[in-house]
Amino acid sequence: MPPPRPGTRWVTDFFSYETTKSVVVKSWVVGAVNRGVQLLILAYFIGWVFLHEKAYQVRDTVIESSVVTKVKGIGRYAGRVLDTADYVTPHQVRGRRAPPLPQFPLSDGAEGGQGGGQGDGDVPPQGTSVFVVVTKQILTENQAQGVCPESEAKYHCTADRDCQGKSPTTGSGVLTGRCIPYNGTLRTCEIQGWCPPEVDTVDVPVMLEAENFTLFIKNSIRFPLFGFEKANLPPPGSGGELGRCRFHPERQPLCPILRLGDVVRLAGQDFPTLAATGGVLGIKIGWVCDLDHAWEHCLPHYSFTRLDGLARSPAPAPGYNFRHARYYRWPDGTERRTLTKAFGIRFDVLVYGNAGKFGIVPTLINTVAAFTSIGVGTVLCDIILLNFLKGAEYYKARKFEEVPEAGVPAPPASPMVCPPGALGGCSRDKQSTDSGTFSLGL
């Protein structure tokens, strides 16, 4: 059969068929590399994939959670002793006389930040996964609707023209365009709104007793894929004294009652500083459960961190504060209010987790992947054998052989020359007639 013409050679090559030819190379070097790579791959799959990552399990990453919180403690502020009703349950006050001395409400989801709005409603009560413990307040009492001089320094003036051309609103009201006396020596722009305006630059004490307040967290979780439910409380009849325990990361890591000072410390913060400026802390409860073990082995893990941005120094709008007002009427019928700017520590209870249980499908998938990956050792040994060892061309000639179609005479084979230094020496080829395996022996 004449050789194919150059123009049709690509057709012949396209319809060629390649089959595997086994060549046994008896070399300690190549054999050690091959077995070493195979052992490493097996160790990776057994140690990391199966034992550490538990790839044989079906995992549920959707966690359903509910959180109930309760804060308790007694504090002292401005000569008054404050109990739970003072700093836990704020209520809007509407009556015929001014409210009593400053209270310390504990609020949920209140407006925060440097500028916090002057809210005219209630501060929501505590009890959910986000709450605030107020540690410092600035009060502006007996405010009424009217006109008065603005208290901010940037609204100082000497004449009416200094109050015109500015933004029509300030932090306390609407500019009237007039410059009026603020005191005997200072004049400021006049505003219309709640008067007198707030002065939030005064120094006020901090209720440091809040460091000893306790926080009780009741957390219930459910993994819907497995129908698994559990709570962070000890089961009934377990004998645990829940009311006496206090959380400690080493001695009592499962106690759901936490001291606020410990939470701040474990988050890497200083309580007096944080109480003075306010801040946001995260209480993270992690549920990572192996459901192949008993129910009681699924336990929560508590960790703590500060959530508000402190990456840049000085941070913009540092701390946490908000405003709220309490309204009342005087005997003459005029409506008045007490405006409160409150600083406090906001706590966010964050629940995360996943659960795993044995499954035949992921087990089979990862087992097949492990045995398939063992073939990487063969690829690596072929690269070494055919490119980097002495006699690489000799091994290439033995590994790759072109066989013509049956009935077509093959071109005469040139005698194989065994190069010096070839692995296993140059010995007679041993052929296995039933397996197609060539052995390059010693």
Side-chain angles (χ1 to χ4, degrees):
M1 179 179 178
R5 290 176 294 177
T8 62
R9 184 174 183 84
W10 67 271
V11 178
T12 304
D13 292 341
F14 180 76
F15 288 101
S16 299
Y17 169 72
E18 296 180 359
T19 185
T20 303
K21 177 183 179 181
S22 298
V23 179
V24 178
V25 180
K26 295 184 177 180
S27 166
W28 284 98
V29 176
V30 179
V33 171
N34 182 42
R35 298 308 180 194
V37 172
Q38 291 176 346
L39 287 175
L40 287 176
I41 294 173
L42 283 176
Y44 165 76
F45 273 91
I46 295 174
W48 178 262
V49 176
F50 284 96
L51 297 182
H52 186 272
E53 294 296 318
K54 294 182 172 59
Y56 57 88
Q57 292 183 331
V58 177
R59 304 209 70 81
D60 187 1
T61 58
V62 178
I63 182 172
E64 300 173 353
S65 170
S66 69
V67 174
V68 177
T69 59
K70 183 181 295 185
V71 178
K72 289 186 177 181
I74 299 295
R76 184 185 298 274
Y77 187 80
R80 300 179 66 239
V81 176
L82 308 179
D83 60 15
T84 303
D86 293 315
Y87 63 82
V88 171
T89 315
H91 293 283
Q92 189 177 23
V93 179
R94 291 185 181 274
R96 288 191 165 280
R97 58 186 179 85
L101 292 175
Q103 297 182 0
F104 281 85
L106 186 150
S107 66
D108 286 338
E111 180 179 0
Q114 178 90 17
Q118 296 181 3
D120 288 342
D122 288 328
V123 179
Q126 64 94 24
T128 63
S129 61
V130 179
F131 58 93
V132 180
V133 174
V134 178
T135 54
K136 184 176 77 171
Q137 297 191 72
I138 299 175
L139 297 179
T140 307
E141 298 181 295
N142 297 327
Q143 285 187 318
Q145 286 285 328
V147 292
C148 54
E150 176 60 85
S151 61
E152 296 184 34
K154 63 180 179 180
Y155 291 102
H156 292 176
C157 61
T158 57
D160 290 350
R161 63 177 178 273
D162 298 331
C163 302
Q164 300 168 359
K166 296 178 179 290
S167 174
T169 60
T170 71
S172 302
V174 179
L175 290 174
T176 64
R178 299 175 55 201
C179 181
I180 61 175
Y182 183 79
N183 53 34
T185 59
L186 182 65
R187 296 171 64 88
T188 63
C189 296
E190 184 184 57
I191 62 168
Q192 181 180 3
W194 288 100
C195 296
E198 177 189 60
V199 180
D200 60 359
T201 56
V202 297
D203 291 331
V204 293
V206 178
M207 189 171 66
L208 296 179
E209 287 87 350
E211 184 175 9
N212 294 316
F213 292 175
T214 59
L215 166 64
F216 169 69
I217 301 177
K218 180 181 178 181
N219 177 216
S220 301
I221 59 100
R222 180 176 183 269
F223 292 106
L225 181 62
F226 307 117
F228 179 86
E229 299 180 357
K230 196 172 183 184
N232 66 331
L233 305 180
S238 61
E241 296 183 357
L242 181 61
R244 297 183 181 180
C245 76
R246 292 295 180 269
F247 174 85
H248 188 277
E250 296 177 358
R251 293 193 294 269
Q252 298 191 61
L254 300 178
C255 179
I257 301 178
L258 302 86
R259 179 175 169 271
L260 296 189
D262 294 336
V263 173
V264 174
R265 177 179 55 83
L266 292 171
Q269 305 298 312
D270 177 67
F271 190 90
T273 302
L274 192 64
T277 62
V280 183
L281 299 183
I283 302 175
K284 298 186 288 185
I285 306 178
W287 295 85
V288 180
C289 300
D290 185 353
L291 301 186
D292 292 328
H293 295 93
W295 177 86
E296 59 269 14
H297 290 182
C298 180
L299 301 173
H301 173 73
Y302 297 83
S303 59
F304 312 90
T305 185
R306 184 163 184 178
L307 299 178
D308 51 331
L310 293 176
R312 290 180 292 174
S313 182
Y320 179 87
N321 61 75
F322 61 95
R323 291 178 173 86
H324 64 95
R326 296 182 178 181
Y327 297 83
Y328 51 94
R329 290 187 182 276
W330 275 17
D332 60 3
T334 60
E335 184 180 42
R336 298 190 176 243
R337 75 175 188 180
T338 295
L339 177 66
T340 302
K341 181 178 181 180
F343 296 79
I345 305 174
R346 181 176 125 178
F347 296 89
D348 291 14
V349 181
L350 310 173
V351 181
Y352 67 95
N354 63 80
K357 194 172 185 180
F358 175 80
I360 189 62
V361 173
T363 301
L364 291 177
I365 291 175
N366 286 280
T367 301
V368 171
F371 284 108
T372 303
S373 301
I374 292 178
V376 175
T378 302
V379 176
L380 180 61
C381 289
D382 281 349
I383 294 174
I384 297 173
L385 181 68
L386 303 178
N387 294 278
F388 299 105
L389 293 182
K390 293 181 179 180
E393 294 299 326
Y394 170 71
Y395 299 124
K396 286 181 182 179
R398 304 300 293 177
K399 180 173 177 62
F400 303 106
E401 181 179 358
E402 185 173 332
V403 180
E405 188 177 356
V408 179
S414 59
M416 180 60 60
V417 178
C418 183
L423 291 177
C426 188
S427 62
R428 178 174 60 87
D429 293 344
K430 289 171 277 187
Q431 219 171 20
S432 174
T433 57
D434 61 343
S435 66
T437 299
F438 285 86
S439 175
L440 304 183
L442 294 174

